[in-house]
Amino acid sequence: APVDADDTSTRTSQRACSDGVRCVAGLRVDCRIGSYCVGGKEFLCPPGVVGEGVELTSPSCSRPCPRGSWCPAGSTSPVACEAGTFGASEGLTHKVNCTRTPPGYYSTAGATEPSACGGPSLFCPGGESAPRTVTPGLETFTDGSIADAPTDLDDSTTRTSQRACSDGVRCVAGLRVDC
């Protein structure tokens, strides 16, 4: 037997690669980040999971893709849902799986749920990354005719729209005030 067991020029036998590694030209090589290895063969981590380490041995890889993000095949780190959308569940596989933020709410990048728009001086028509400030002289309101609008039309924290004040009132910071 050779004196130096690590000397690749004097190998005397072969054996199957173990799980967690791949075999390349007779050498044992760590499985790459974003993949897992079984029987010496490498496979990309499937969509919806993250492969954050080497020597992974199952298609569940390191962990499910966390809420607020999505993970394509071979992910080494999650991709945040874009601002104006949110990811309420684990394991999202594509950015289209992130949910559009409904009217009356906003979502920053990586949000796991939408946030209420704010007070009466703010409104959110839907798909917003941040609340919009009411134009001076206008009032905010919740437009119940908008698809997915909040059902409580009197909730000043989830307003969806702005409009001109009616005669006999003035509007200050989104609210109607008698003249």
Side-chain angles (χ1 to χ4, degrees), residues 35-38 45-46 55-62:
S35 63
Y36 67 99
C37 294
V38 177
C45 290
E55 297 188 11
L56 300 176
T57 61
S58 100
S60 61
C61 292
S62 298

Side-chain angles (χ1 to χ4, degrees), residues 66-81:
R67 292 175 34 172
S69 60
W70 59 279
C71 298
S75 288
T76 59
S77 63
V79 179
C81 288

Side-chain angles (χ1 to χ4, degrees), residues 5 19 44 47 90 101 123 147:
D19 290 346
L44 288 177
E90 290 184 335
T101 303
F123 68 102

Side-chain angles (χ1 to χ4, degrees), residues 83-85 100-108 113-135 139-153 155-163 174:
T85 67
R100 183 179 184 272
T101 303
Y105 297 84
Y106 72 96
S107 300
T108 57
E113 61 185 35
S115 299
C117 197
S121 66
L122 303 170
F123 68 102
C124 297
E128 300 296 308
S129 61
R132 296 183 188 188
T133 302
V134 66
T135 303
E139 71 172 316
T140 59
F141 70 104
T142 300
D143 184 349
S145 69
I146 296 175
D148 300 320
T151 55
D152 183 355
L153 302 182
D155 184 349
S156 66
T157 65
T158 57
R159 304 230 172 147
T160 62
S161 306
Q162 64 179 352
R163 64 182 169 206

Side-chain angles (χ1 to χ4, degrees), residues 1-14 27:
V3 176
D4 183 0
D6 292 324
D7 182 354
T8 59
S9 66
T10 59
R11 301 283 168 110
T12 60
S13 63
Q14 63 181 3
L27 298 175

